[in-house]
Amino acid sequence: MIARTVRSEWVKLRSLRSTWYTLACLFGTGVGITSLATGQVAGQYGDLSEAERLAWDPTARGLIVYIVAQLVFGVLGTLVVTSEFATGLVQSSLAVTPHRTRLLAAKVVVAAVVAVVAGQVLMFVSFLVGQALIAGQGVPSARLGDPGVLSAVMGGGLYLAAIALLAIGLGTLMRATAGALTTLVGIVFLVPGMAGLFPAWFQGLLDFWPSQGGAAIFATVPDPAHPHPWLNLGGMCLGIAAVLVAAFVVFERRDV
C-alpha cells in the first residue's frame, strides 16, 4: 500500500513545473557560484602566509555552493507539502489516502530520494568544476582520492538532503510556503550569524546547527571548533528528525 502512495506522490512531484524549475535553478546557480568562488583564487592564494597555506582547503572552496543550494533545497522540500495546501489538493489526497501518516511518509520518501540524488550530483559537479578551475591557475587542488575528500563531497549531498527534509517538516507545521521559507532562512542564516549574542547554554547546540557545526562536513582540513564533522552532521540530522516527528503528530491531529 505504501508503495502505491509513494508512486502517486512521485507522479505529483514530477508533474509540477516548479519542481523542474527549482532543479534547473539549482544546477545553473550551482555551477555559476562554483565558478565565481574558484575562478580567481590564484591571487588570493599568493597572498596567504605559510601557515594559511597549510590550512588551504580547495575541497571546501569547491563546495561553497552549499550556502545558496540549501535554500533551493528548502524551496523544493517546502513545495512538496505547501503546494497542496495552497491549491486545496490536500483534500483530494486525503480522500484517496485517508491514512495521514502514510501520506506524509510517502511525501518524505519521495522528497528524500530526489534530494539525495540531486544533492550528490550537485556536490560532485561542483567539486569537479571547482578543482579544474583551481588547478588551471597553478594553485593546489584536490582529487576525489585524497584523504577526506570523498567523505566531504558525499557528506555535503547528505547535508543538503537533510535541509530538504527540514523544509518538509516546517512546511507541514506551517502549511504556508512563505512562512516555512522564512523560518528556514532564519535557521540557516540568521541564527548562525547572531551566534555570539546567544547565552552560553545555547552555544552547544550550534555544534549541530545548519550552516554552523553541521556544515563542518564540507571541510577536509580539521577544524578545532568542530573536530568530528560526521558527529556534527549526525546531531543536525537528529534535530531535523525531531522536527519531522512533530510534523507527523500535527498532521495527524490537525484539521486540514
Side-chain angles (χ1 to χ4, degrees), residues 10-86:
W10 165 238
V11 170
K12 285 192 287 187
L13 183 62
R14 76 185 186 193
S15 65
L16 288 173
R17 283 182 294 179
S18 58
T19 300
W20 302 108
Y21 292 155
T22 302
L23 291 175
C25 175
L26 172 67
F27 287 99
T29 303
V31 173
I33 291 176
T34 300
S35 300
L36 289 174
T38 58
Q40 301 292 333
V41 298
Q44 301 171 24
Y45 185 80
D47 294 335
L48 296 179
S49 66
E50 193 63 33
E52 290 172 329
R53 290 190 179 189
L54 290 175
W56 169 253
D57 192 345
T59 300
R61 178 61 69 101
L63 300 180
I64 201 170
V65 64
Y66 86 89
I67 296 176
V68 174
Q70 59 189 341
L71 289 183
V72 182
F73 275 82
V75 171
L76 180 65
T78 301
L79 289 176
V80 169
V81 289
T82 59
S83 60
E84 290 199 19
F85 285 116

Side-chain angles (χ1 to χ4, degrees), residues 9-10 17 27 39 41 44 48 53 81 89 91 94 101 116 121 124 139 151 166-167 177 188 213 216 219-220 231 239:
E9 290 302 317
W10 165 238
R17 283 182 294 179
F27 287 99
V41 298
Q44 301 171 24
L48 296 179
R53 290 190 179 189
V81 289
L89 183 61
Q91 299 284 2
L94 288 172
T101 299
V116 166
V121 172
F124 276 98
V139 176
S151 175
L166 173 61
T177 303
V188 300
T220 59
L231 179 61

Side-chain angles (χ1 to χ4, degrees), residues 12 28 58 82 95 102 143-144 192:
K12 285 192 287 187
T82 59
R102 182 190 303 147
R143 295 176 297 178
L144 284 173

Side-chain angles (χ1 to χ4, degrees), residues 56-210:
W56 169 253
D57 192 345
T59 300
R61 178 61 69 101
L63 300 180
I64 201 170
V65 64
Y66 86 89
I67 296 176
V68 174
Q70 59 189 341
L71 289 183
V72 182
F73 275 82
V75 171
L76 180 65
T78 301
L79 289 176
V80 169
V81 289
T82 59
S83 60
E84 290 199 19
F85 285 116
T87 61
L89 183 61
V90 66
Q91 299 284 2
S92 301
S93 297
L94 288 172
V96 175
T97 310
H99 197 299
R100 294 186 174 209
T101 299
R102 182 190 303 147
L103 177 61
L104 185 54
K107 291 180 180 295
V108 170
V109 169
V110 169
V113 171
V114 172
V116 166
V117 173
Q120 296 296 350
V121 172
L122 176 65
M123 289 292 97
F124 276 98
V125 169
S126 297
F127 174 81
L128 295 174
V129 170
Q131 300 315 305
L133 291 173
I134 291 174
Q137 300 171 69
V139 176
S141 60
R143 295 176 297 178
L144 284 173
D146 292 343
V149 171
L150 185 60
S151 175
V153 174
M154 297 194 70
L158 295 177
Y159 173 94
L160 293 175
I163 294 295
L165 294 181
L166 173 61
I168 290 178
L170 294 175
T172 304
L173 292 170
M174 299 186 176
R175 297 188 291 184
T177 303
L181 288 179
T182 300
T183 304
L184 183 67
V185 169
I187 290 172
V188 300
F189 287 129
L190 187 59
V191 172
M194 300 176 63
L197 301 178
F198 292 105
W201 63 265
F202 189 83
Q203 299 300 318
L205 292 178
L206 295 177
D207 289 340
F208 312 106
W209 204 268

